[in-house]
Amino acid sequence: MEPSPQVDEQFMRQALELAREAASLGEVPVGALAVKDGLVVGTGMNRREIDRDPFSHAELVAMRRAAEAVGAWRLSGVTVYVTLEPCAMCAGAMVQARVDRLVFGASDPKAGAVGSLYDLARDSRHNHRVEVTSGVLADECGTVLRDFFKALRTKKNETAERDN
């Protein structure tokens, strides 16, 4: 399936729903989809707190499920959609899994490894490079994250005031 802005937005909206679900569970709201031939073959949301697992990032969960669905570790032909720019671990996993394309929403100036701090997905020193489209529904993706952290700070401040 040839990528188009409309298709990218459609899948990013699905990733945003997963991010909102993660937020409702107390997880940092990041959602991801793995898509092959126009079909979702893996979904994921952050689950680090729920699973008590440092590797339960949305992208890794989606890629693990995609590998199970396609029956291979090589995710050739797969596009990963994620609401936040991947970290070094997730970007590296995409390179290692041979993901064809990455589409992300909001940039992550503190930990992003696909253009912000590093560019692991497109580094010419790797044996595989991932095609990247950034900024898809960036404002909406960023708002979900900002709202989550604002609510967390408010709750923390209310608890601190109550305890004083």
Side-chain angles (χ1 to χ4, degrees), residues 2-145:
E2 187 65 29
S4 75
Q6 295 80 15
V7 170
D8 286 349
E9 285 185 14
Q10 171 195 345
F11 285 123
M12 189 61 73
R13 289 195 191 288
Q14 291 179 49
L16 273 162
E17 286 307 310
L18 291 165
R20 289 183 182 102
E21 185 179 344
S24 75
L25 298 171
E27 294 282 351
V28 173
V30 178
L33 302 174
V35 175
K36 184 173 177 142
D37 300 325
L39 301 172
V40 176
V41 292
T43 62
M45 63 180 156
N46 272 3
R47 298 183 49 89
R48 291 188 304 173
E49 301 298 329
I50 294 166
D51 294 347
R52 294 182 172 91
D53 180 355
F55 303 109
S56 286
H57 287 211
E59 305 94 306
L60 296 183
V61 173
M63 289 190 310
R64 184 176 298 118
R65 290 178 176 165
E68 290 170 4
V70 302
W73 66 266
R74 242 183 219 98
L75 297 179
S76 301
V78 169
T79 297
V80 173
Y81 291 86
V82 62
T83 56
L84 180 65
E85 179 183 356
C87 68
M89 176 175 67
C90 294
M94 288 178 201
V95 170
Q96 294 301 313
R98 312 304 196 268
V99 166
D100 277 8
R101 185 168 175 252
L102 163 67
V103 178
F104 71 86
S107 293
D108 185 351
K110 293 183 180 180
V114 186
S116 289
L117 297 178
Y118 316 101
D119 198 352
L120 296 178
R122 296 175 284 202
D123 191 314
S124 63
R125 295 170 292 183
H126 294 164
N127 64 336
H128 175 78
R129 281 166 291 293
V130 179
E131 179 186 334
V132 177
T133 301
S134 60
V136 175
L137 301 180
D139 290 342
E140 195 170 341
C141 292
T143 297
V144 169
L145 285 156

